[in-house]
Amino acid sequence: QVQLVESGGGLVQAGGSLRLSCAEASGRIFSINAMNWYRQAPGKQRELVAAISSGGRTNYAESVKARFTISRDTTKNMVYLQLNNLKPEDTAVYYCNTKVWTSTGWVDYWGQGTQVTVSL
């Protein structure tokens, strides 16, 4: 059973920083899976913010490039998202995600989400 638990959200002023953490509790798939961070703002669709492959290759949404950094620690089954130079439009619930291949296809696993609120 894949279990993802996020932490680290909060309220911050524009220009500030936060670091989000995601713990993968089972430990069975972490080292071989890509890990992703999504976010969902009120009234908007969930969007992919950053991704990191099992080999450490990263990808970012254009809106967060040069401001956000995704990283992982395979020894601790953790993935992180460093958020710098935050803007009010970054306000959203941030979700950790991974996709697992099963006999019936890809299955998405999500954490419970952590709220990030950026004030002016």
Side-chain angles (χ1 to χ4, degrees):
Q1 182 78 12
V2 176
Q3 295 179 331
L4 302 175
V5 180
E6 303 99 333
S7 60
L11 173 63
V12 64
Q13 288 188 326
S17 298
L18 286 172
R19 189 174 85 149
L20 308 183
S21 299
C22 173
E24 198 290 292
S26 75
R28 294 179 300 169
I29 57 89
F30 186 80
S31 62
I32 62 173
N33 270 46
M35 299 296 296
N36 311 301
W37 283 98
Y38 284 75
R39 67 184 180 187
Q40 187 166 21
K44 294 188 177 181
Q45 288 190 334
R46 194 169 295 189
E47 64 172 346
L48 179 63
V49 174
I52 186 165
S53 72
S54 57
R57 182 174 296 181
T58 59
N59 283 293
Y60 298 93
E62 284 296 324
S63 60
V64 306
K65 276 184 180 178
R67 298 190 299 121
F68 291 8
T69 303
I70 189 171
S71 61
R72 68 193 298 168
D73 185 339
T74 56
T75 65
K76 298 179 181 179
N77 294 340
M78 297 289 295
V79 62
Y80 306 99
L81 187 66
Q82 179 67 40
L83 290 65
N84 295 330
N85 190 21
L86 282 160
K87 304 176 181 180
E89 51 263 43
D90 294 318
T91 294
V93 178
Y94 284 71
Y95 297 92
C96 184
N97 163 268
T98 191
K99 304 179 192 303
V100 178
W101 176 255
T102 71
S103 59
T104 56
W106 288 104
V107 175
D108 274 297
Y109 289 91
W110 300 92
Q112 83 285 356
T114 186
Q115 176 71 48
V116 171
T117 303
V118 185
S119 64
L120 288 170

